[in-house]
């Protein structure tokens, strides 16, 4: 600037000096400020990307699982030594006879000599310890199998699964890995014959809690979550909508309603763990409702969701223009009729959107559920809201602290499933909002 | 009131209204307070049956406020307080035996901005009869809807699309739909709060024509900011200013020979 | 009749009442009387007056029932048990016997009464196992309890049926053409709406009372001074009957909470605020339309997911690239890990609210500054931000309250050791972590080890409530200013 002005005639120089307001410096500052913004925004977005890629890259492998297909000889002499082929007979009696079926099948597949016990045990190490009960259940469900020879898919253990997927490396010293060299030889042979292969992991969606990763799934937890969501929906929607209608349409403006208003806004920001403690103290310790029941979980989540639903419902009611209310009142409808016939129907899309978003929050809520004991090892599907249940987020929490690699993979997969549900719910909410958005 | 009254011919109103009619709505010393602000300072007026009474005056003069007192729409405004006497057919509108809902069914209202329900044309008109139980059967209801639409001179324009949303009509049609909706509950009085302010001149002309026709069966009170409109449609006119009723009388008197200087000034366009 | 049968009866009769009322009003209208309300209103009128009194009676008696039974059993307990303090155990013992007595046949009952056969054996035949044999006081108390119970059931049935009949009859004869049935029904609906709106208040009252009640029990064992000023957290294990109470100093936990929240704000405030400024003032509508919802995704992700992310991704990264090279720690569970991840979580809380607040600054203010020749950044820094400052402070306080109350991230990523240390790579723990620790597993609502969680809980509640009230007041005042 100064150089340029020096070159100019004196008269003009004064003019230039007047408008010399440090433009270059100021524009540099402007660009810097802008760059800070871009950097901040990029970091924020990078966090989103990193979070998702971290979860997906860890979890996608869990959707496939290593299976071992064995040709099993359903020998009636072994299965039904006394000739009774009924499911009851199959389910009772010595469990070892089914081990024998598997051992025989393995010996045939891998050409293990009948007297080579170590070889057989090494091969059995590869199969999930849940294989025997599974085979037994299969036969009980389908007695026509007895006497035939058919292929059965067995689960490999979590360690074999991890080895196949390449998360346990063969170049690690043998003493530091669960899969020993002799196992690797067997695995190679099974893989080459196509006996051992990867297949879609249906168990992830249907099984419950298990200490064996290959038999653990989120099915039971998902049902628990679903039951809780039903409880939340049936309680919080009517309560929230009724409360909002009163506050928005009928309540006089006074200290009491002001207090309710402030109170609701604060409740929305109370840490969720506090709701869990309320649930523990009131529902379990005082009312003696069963611990770990989805009913109690639903009640607690109802309380956490209510403020959200009330706030969004009130906004939706507020968005209905007063002219609609005047029209109703003007032809002699009562206030109640005007609200229920005209205002509420128009607010429905907004209310639904808010409800879905509230439910999505409730679905991901973990801490309050830990308080009321929904961190239980639940193997069976709950059938009533009083049964012990667990939920998707608490299942994730329990798996997250398991050291085994196969559980870590499943934790990520369970998170992906949870996020998929949330994504679906939020998409529905967005679509609803777009479809019914009304400009007055 | 001056003793000399010039018997001027009725040039302004379309149809002369010779014989004095019985009073439908009587008000005495009506005062309205919104919070701290007094909006009306004691208004007393007699509104005759089966004729059009126009309220004119500059904005904020209290004419709409007064109109909304007659069917107690001011009840819905927080902090509004109404004092004085308002009688409908000699019965106070605050009489405990008279339900506010019943009152509003008898005193219908048409608003400044057309406000049809976001429902079909049919449903818009049918809603009132339905909640008041005016139709005994579906056929009854249909008849009420059709007659109301006919009375509102809208039927011919919409008869093929009664299922379509009322919000899809043009502004003028929407306002006539709102009038049909008000007529459908067979009110005795129809209050109109600047019904043409949101309409174009052609639609305005249609609505004005309609008001003139409705006069045969209904008592109509119309608030308007247009003096020409008041002159065209009303038999009696009341001039409001700053919350006071300045002058009230037959429309032609008010427009040709007002008693008050302020009325004169307003009509000649000196303020307002 | 059981409560479910009674509810079914109430439902059936009130529905019947609905049709009865409707029918009567139609009949009256047919005879020429103009009705005040619609027939359905008259029907609902009868329905409401049939159902509501009966439901109220039923609810009251169902609530009273366990209290009365408890009192009955209590009055039959021998005085040595009452003084020994194991009353609740004795009561549940009697309840078991009472349940057993319900299952036995009259003959067997006679035998028990005469002492011919032991009650324990007969109960066992009916599949009711008892811990020990039945002592005489238990038997008398159980019989008295069962008698009272029968009496209550009978009273309940009579009262409910009476209320139903009376309500139905009175409502029916009150139906006249001029009866304001609609107004009456609408008043009941309004009462229901009001009741629904008080649930929010009841929740708050419930939180405060339940936390306070247990916390006061805790403070009767451990003095509040030791709790609030203690620098050592060592609760020991809640071994039954052990008199060892351990040390319950909240300061290490409060320090951990504050330290982690501080890190979270250090991450979230610059990123969130600068993003908000960029989105509000610079970004093209297209960029804004993509970036705003993308950042808001962060708010929709469950905290357990962040916890796992911290545990498996961020924790090891911070351990390997920062803590170990600096020689400050060797664990992934530390203040920085939890703080950074929590910061990511609260970015959208800062950015969304700040964005709203910045866009609420009137256009005229910006134009005034731009019109003087200020650059955009100067306008933002000198005009927009100062105007928006109170709102932004509110947003940050709200975010801080989130961070303080956050649980899952710290449970998974902060550690469990209570440390009073300035080293950000040390394991530290927070109030919420300790609440989870003390309340999972076996609970004994008489030991300080369990009850301390409620003292922590009410402290947490008061802190976050205070922050929220301040923040919301600031934000509300700010909004009103520009409305």
């Amino acid at each position: 600037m100064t150089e340029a002005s020096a070159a100019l005639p004196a008269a003009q120089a004064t003019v230039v000096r007047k408008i010399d307001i440090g433009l270059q410096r100021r524009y540099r500052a402007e660009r810097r400020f802008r760059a800070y913004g871009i950097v901040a925004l990029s970091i924020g977005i990078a966090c989103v990307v990193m979070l998702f890629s971290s979860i997906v890259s860890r979890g996608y492998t869990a959707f496939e699982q290593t299976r071992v297909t064995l040709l099993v000889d359903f020998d009636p002499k072994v299965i039904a030594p006394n000739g009774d082929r009924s499911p009851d007979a199959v389910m009772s009696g010595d469990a070892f006879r089914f081990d024998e079926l598997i051992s025989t099948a393995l010996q045939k597949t891998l050409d293990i000599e009948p007297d080579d016990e170590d070889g057989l045990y090494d091969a059995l190490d590869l199969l999930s310890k849940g294989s025997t009960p599974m085979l037994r259940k299969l036969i009980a469900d389908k007695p026509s199998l007895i006497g035939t020879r058919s292929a059965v898919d067995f689960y490999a253990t979590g360690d074999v699964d991890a080895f196949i997927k390449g998360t346990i490396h063969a170049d690690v010293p043998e003493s530091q890995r669960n899969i020993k060299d002799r196992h690797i030889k067997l695995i190679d042979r099974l893989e080459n014959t196509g006996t051992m292969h990867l297949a879609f992991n249906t168990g992830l969606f249907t099984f419950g809690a298990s200490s064996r990763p290959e038999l653990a799934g989120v099915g039971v937890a998902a049902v628990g979550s679903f039951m809780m969501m039903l409880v939340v929906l049936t309680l919080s929607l009517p309560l929230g909508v009724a409360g909002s209608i009163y506050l928005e349409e009928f309540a006089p403006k006074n200290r009491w309603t002001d207090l309710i208003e402030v109170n609701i806004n604060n409740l929305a920001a109370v840490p969720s763990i506090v709701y869990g403690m309320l649930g523990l103290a009131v529902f379990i310790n005082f009312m003696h409702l069963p611990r770990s029941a989805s009913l109690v979980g639903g009640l607690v989540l109802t309380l956490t969701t209510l403020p959200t639903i009330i706030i969004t419902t009130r906004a939706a009611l507020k968005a209905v223009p007063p002219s609609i209310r005047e029209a109703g009142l003007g032809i002699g409808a009562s206030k109640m009729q005007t609200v229920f016939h005209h205002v509420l129907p128009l607010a429905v899309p907004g209310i639904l959107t808010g409800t879905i978003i509230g439910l999505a929050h409730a679905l991901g809520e973990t801490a309050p559920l830990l308080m009321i004991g929904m961190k239980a090892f639940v193997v069976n599907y709950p059938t009533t809201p009083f049964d012990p249940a667990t939920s998707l987020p608490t299942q994730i929490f329990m798996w997250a602290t398991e050291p085994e690699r196969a559980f870590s993979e499943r934790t990520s997969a369970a998170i992906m499933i949870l996020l998929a549900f949330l994504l679906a719910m939020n998409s529905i909410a967005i679509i609803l909002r777009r479809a019914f958005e009304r400009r007055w | 009131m001056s003793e000399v009254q010039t018997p001027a011919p009725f040039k302004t109103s379309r149809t002369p209204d010779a014989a004095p009619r019985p009073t439908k709505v009587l008000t005495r010393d009506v005062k309205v307070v919104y919070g701290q602000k007094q909006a009306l300072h004691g208004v007393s007026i007699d509104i005759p049956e089966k004729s059009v009474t126009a309220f004119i005056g500059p904005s904020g003069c209290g004419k709409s406020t007064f109109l909304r007192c007659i069917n107690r729409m001011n009840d819905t405004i927080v902090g509004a307080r109404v004092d004085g006497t308002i009688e409908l057919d000699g019965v106070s509108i605050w009489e405990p035996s008279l339900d506010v809902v019943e009152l509003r069914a008898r005193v219908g209202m048409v608003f400044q901005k057309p406000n049809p329900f976001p429902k079909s044309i049919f449903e818009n008109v049918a809603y009132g009869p339905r909640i008041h139980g005016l139709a005994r059967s579906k056929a009854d209801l249909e008849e009420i809807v059709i007659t109301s639409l006919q009375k509102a001179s809208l039927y011919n324009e919409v008869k093929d699309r009664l299922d379509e949303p009322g919000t899809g009509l043009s502004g003028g049609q929407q306002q006539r739909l709102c009038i049909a909706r008000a007529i459908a509950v067979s009110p005795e009085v129809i209050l109109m709060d600047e019904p043409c302010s949101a309409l174009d001149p052609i639609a305005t002309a249609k609505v004005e024509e309609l008001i003139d026709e409705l006069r045969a069966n209904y008592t109509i009170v119309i608030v308007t900011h247009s003096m020409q409109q008041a002159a065209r449609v009303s038999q009696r006119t009341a001039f409001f200013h700053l919350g006071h009723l300045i002058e009230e009388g037959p429309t032609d008197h008010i427009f040709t020979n007002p008693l008050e200087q302020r009325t004169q000034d307003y009509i000649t366009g000196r303020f307002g | 009749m059981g409560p479910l049968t009674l509810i079914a009866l109430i439902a059936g009769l009130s529905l019947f009442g609905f049709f009865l009322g409707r029918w009567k009003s139609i009949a009256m209208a047919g005879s020429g009387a103009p009705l005040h309300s619609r027939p359905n209103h008259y029907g609902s009128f009868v329905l409401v007056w049939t159902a509501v009194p009966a439901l109220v009676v039923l609810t009251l008696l169902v609530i009273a029932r366990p209290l009365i039974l408890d009192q009955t059993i209590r009055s039959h307990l021998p005085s040595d048990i009452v003084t020994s303090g194991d009353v609740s155990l004795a009561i549940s013992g009697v309840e078991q016997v009472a349940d057993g007595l319900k299952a036995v046949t009259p003959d067997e009952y006679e035998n028990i009464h005469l002492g011919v056969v032991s009650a324990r054996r007969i109960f066992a035949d009916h599949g009711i196992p008892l811990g020990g044999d039945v002592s005489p006081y238990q038997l008398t108390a159980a019989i008295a309890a069962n008698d009272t119970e029968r009496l209550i059931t009978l009273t309940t049935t009579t009262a409910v049926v009476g209320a139903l009949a009376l309500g139905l009859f009175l409502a029916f004869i009150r139906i006249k053409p001029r009866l304001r049935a609609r107004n009456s029904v609408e008043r009941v609906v309004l009462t229901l709406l009001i009741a629904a709106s008080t649930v929010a208040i009841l929740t708050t009252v419930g939180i405060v009372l339940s936390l306070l009640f247990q916390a006061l029990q805790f403070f009767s064992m451990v003095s509040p001074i030791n709790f609030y000023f203690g620098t050592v957290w060592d609760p020991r294990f809640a071994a039954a009957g052990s008199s060892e109470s351990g040390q319950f100093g909240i300061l290490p936990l409060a320090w951990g909470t504050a330290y982690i929240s501080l890190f979270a704000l250090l991450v979230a405030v610059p990123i969130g605020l600068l993003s908000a400024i960029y989105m509000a003032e610079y970004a093209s509508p297209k960029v804004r339309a993509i970036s705003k919802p993308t950042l808001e995704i962060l708010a929709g992700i469950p905290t357990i997911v962040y916890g796992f992310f911290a545990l498996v991704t961020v924790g090891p990264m911070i351990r390997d690239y920062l803590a170990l090279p600096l020689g400050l720690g060797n664990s992934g569970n530390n203040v920085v890990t939890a703080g950074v991840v929590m910061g990511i979580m609260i970015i959208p809380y800062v950015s969304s609210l700040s964005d709203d607040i910045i866009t609420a600054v009137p256009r005229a203010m910006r134009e005034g500054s731009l019109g003087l020749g200020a650059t955009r950044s100067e306008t933002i820094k000198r005009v927009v931000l100062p105007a928006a400052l109170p709102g932004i402070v509110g947003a940050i306080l709200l975010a801080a309250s989130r961070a303080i109350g956050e649980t899952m991230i710290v449970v998974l990523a902060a550690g469990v050791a209570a440390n009073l240390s300035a080293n950000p790579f040390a394991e530290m723990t927070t109030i919420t972590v300790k609440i989870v620790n003390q309340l999972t597993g076996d609970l004994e609502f008489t030991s300080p080890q369990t009850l301390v969680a409620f003292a922590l809980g009410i402290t947490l509640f008061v802190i976050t409530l205070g922050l929220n009230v301040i923040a919301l007041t600031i934000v509300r005042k700010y909004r009103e200013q520009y409305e």
Side-chain angles (χ1 to χ4, degrees), chain A residues 190-214:
Chain A
L190 287 171
E191 263 196 307
N192 288 338
T193 56
T195 310
M196 189 178 268
H197 57 98
L198 282 170
F200 184 70
N201 188 355
T202 46
L204 182 63
F205 297 92
T206 55
F207 291 148
S210 171
S211 54
R212 301 189 187 100
E214 68 273 12

Side-chain angles (χ1 to χ4, degrees), chain A residues 221-281:
Chain A
V223 171
S225 275
F226 180 72
M227 280 186 168
M228 285 196 292
M229 290 305 111
L230 277 187
V231 175
V232 174
L233 188 65
T234 48
L235 288 178
S236 65
L237 186 60
L239 269 181
V241 171
S244 316
I245 288 178
Y246 173 70
L247 292 175
E248 197 57 43
E249 304 285 336
F250 294 97
K253 281 264 158 266
N254 57 27
R255 277 167 172 276
W256 173 245
T257 46
D258 264 1
L259 182 71
I260 295 184
E261 166 122 40
V262 170
N263 181 45
I264 288 171
N265 286 333
N266 277 314
L267 277 182
V270 165
S272 59
I273 190 168
V274 172
Y275 286 97
M277 300 178 78
L278 169 74
L280 175 64

Side-chain angles (χ1 to χ4, degrees), chain B residues 44-181:
Chain B
S44 303
I45 191 172
D46 292 350
I47 294 166
E49 186 177 46
K50 291 187 180 162
S51 66
V52 179
T53 305
F55 293 171
I56 59 169
S59 1
C61 66
K63 52 191 195 299
S64 285
T65 303
F66 181 59
L67 189 79
R68 293 168 68 96
C69 289
I70 301 175
N71 69 345
R72 292 180 55 188
M73 279 303 271
N74 278 338
D75 287 11
T76 62
I77 296 168
V78 182
R81 222 181 61 239
V82 184
D83 288 321
T85 312
I86 303 180
E87 288 176 0
L88 178 66
D89 285 338
V91 178
S92 166
I93 61 166
W94 290 290
E95 176 70 36
S97 68
L98 183 66
D99 197 331
V100 63
V101 163
E102 220 179 324
L103 171 73
R104 291 195 190 128
R106 286 172 63 191
V107 183
M109 189 155 196
V110 175
F111 297 86
Q112 190 167 1
K113 233 182 99 209
N115 56 354
F117 299 124
K119 295 182 173 179
S120 74
I121 294 172
F122 184 89
E123 283 302 319
N124 259 286
V125 184
Y127 178 69
R130 210 175 259 156
I131 57 165
H132 295 306
L134 300 178
R136 301 219 163 261
S137 63
K138 213 170 152 18
D140 247 14
L141 188 64
E142 271 169 28
E143 202 193 311
I144 294 176
V145 171
I146 290 171
T147 5
S148 306
L149 285 170
Q150 278 166 343
K151 280 189 193 160
S153 326
L154 187 62
Y155 186 65
N156 288 336
E157 292 161 60
V158 299
K159 64 181 173 211
D160 302 325
R161 45 180 175 139
L162 292 177
D163 297 335
E164 283 174 31
T167 39
L169 297 173
S170 74
Q173 287 172 326
Q174 283 189 18
Q175 196 59 298
R176 278 180 283 145
L177 177 63
C178 292
I179 294 175
R181 188 175 66 186

Side-chain angles (χ1 to χ4, degrees), chain C residues 314-352:
Chain C
V314 180
M317 248 161 64
I318 284 177
R319 180 192 60 207
D320 296 343
Y321 297 107
L322 284 174
L324 287 177
L326 293 171
L328 289 171
N330 54 10
S331 163
N333 287 2
N334 55 43
V335 173
V336 181
T337 306
V340 165
V341 175
M342 204 186 269
I344 295 176
M345 181 194 86
I346 56 176
I347 287 174
Y349 293 98
V350 178
S351 74
S352 283

